[in-house]
Amino acid sequence: MSSKFVILSFVVLAVISSGCTGPGEEGSIPSREAVKMTVIAGWAPDGVISEGEYARKISPPGGIYEVFWKNDGETLYMAIKGETGGWVSIGFEPSVWMKDADIIMGYVDERGASARDAYSTGNYGPHPPDSDLGGTDDHLEFGGSEKDGFTVIEFRRKMDTGDEFDRAFRSGETVNIIWGISDSDDPERRHQKAGKARLTFM
Ligand code: HEM
């Protein structure tokens, strides 16, 4: 596993009213350390995509990858779900191929969920952490689960983080995305499946 990855483990300090279960659920990956997880307006980064937790969703052809999201003018809440035990990812607004995409990659292993706020500097990577490029890690919070052959990574970030290696999003805007999923947890190992789509913020 790359040391550049940030590892976050968590416990559920509150249970949202929809009755979703947390990371201790049977079959999910248990957390290693206890740090707090916020529940905001029905959203919790517990790796469980609950009824009503997100407002919008896209399911690109192939049926192996989905993105769920909701946002206001300030904050984006998002879940990426792939049919894999390896990493899942989303990249925003590439200029060509993978280049210049504002990427989030994540996976779940026995230590919990890991995520990288990354940026692709070339057509086919590399995509180092923003912090290696002089930017900042702008996940305000994230978590995930690996269960029944699917990996889910949930995160929230500011619509406009102020980091030059993150795209600044506006409410109502439609953006191009790229996605990839790998059967490996190693972020340096390439995807088995990848594709393109578009999504529109609320
Ligand atoms: C170690 C990580 C990665 C490597 C080595 C890698 C490498 C490559 C290579 C060589 C291609 C050329 C086409 C092909 O052979 O499939 C490609 C295409 C592609 N990659 Fe990656 N990639 C990585 C991570 C990612 C991530 C994280 C994403 C999404 C966020 C992504 C999205 C794509 C997409 C959408 C294409 C197809 C582009 C097109 O057909 O227009 N890749 N990648």
Side-chain angles (χ1 to χ4, degrees):
M1 181 193 71
S2 166
S3 61
K4 305 278 173 48
F5 261 56
V6 178
I7 296 177
L8 178 68
S9 304
F10 54 77
V11 292
V12 177
L13 294 183
V15 177
I16 62 175
S17 57
S18 61
C20 87
T21 50
E25 182 184 8
E26 186 180 354
S28 65
I29 304 296
S31 300
R32 182 173 51 169
E33 294 165 9
V35 296
K36 67 180 176 180
M37 180 176 71
T38 325
V39 178
I40 304 169
W43 179 85
D46 56 5
V48 178
I49 298 168
S50 305
E51 187 73 32
E53 188 174 15
Y54 296 96
R56 296 188 176 179
K57 165 184 165 178
I58 53 169
S59 306
I64 55 168
Y65 178 89
E66 291 181 310
V67 186
F68 303 76
W69 72 98
K70 69 179 176 184
N71 65 277
D72 55 26
E74 291 290 314
T75 308
L76 170 65
Y77 304 85
M78 183 165 272
I80 50 180
K81 177 180 180 181
E83 190 171 356
T84 181
W87 57 256
V88 297
S89 65
I90 186 167
F92 299 100
E93 298 281 44
S95 55
V96 57
W97 305 99
M98 294 164 53
K99 185 170 168 51
D100 298 321
D102 167 13
I103 289 176
I104 289 151
M105 301 173 73
Y107 65 86
V108 179
D109 64 12
E110 66 284 353
R111 291 172 297 185
S114 301
R116 175 189 286 188
D117 181 3
Y119 184 86
S120 184
T121 56
N123 285 359
Y124 304 123
H127 39 77
D130 294 358
S131 53
D132 283 9
L133 298 169
T136 50
D137 184 342
D138 293 293
H139 297 117
L140 298 175
E141 202 170 8
F142 68 88
S145 67
E146 187 179 315
K147 189 180 176 189
D148 299 334
F150 287 87
T151 294
V152 174
I153 296 293
E154 298 186 279
F155 63 91
R156 69 181 169 97
R157 56 160 272 186
K158 287 187 175 174
M159 293 284 279
D160 182 357
T161 67
D163 183 354
E164 64 177 306
F165 299 104
D166 292 331
R167 298 293 181 184
F169 304 136
R170 294 186 312 277
S171 292
E173 179 185 18
T174 299
V175 295
N176 295 313
I177 66 151
I178 55 173
W179 60 270
I181 64 174
S182 172
D183 60 12
S184 170
D185 282 345
D186 182 349
E188 305 308 328
R189 295 282 297 276
R190 64 174 292 180
H191 36 75
Q192 271 65 51
K193 304 278 185 189
K196 300 174 178 177
R198 286 163 73 78
L199 64 77
T200 302
F201 294 113
M202 299 166 67

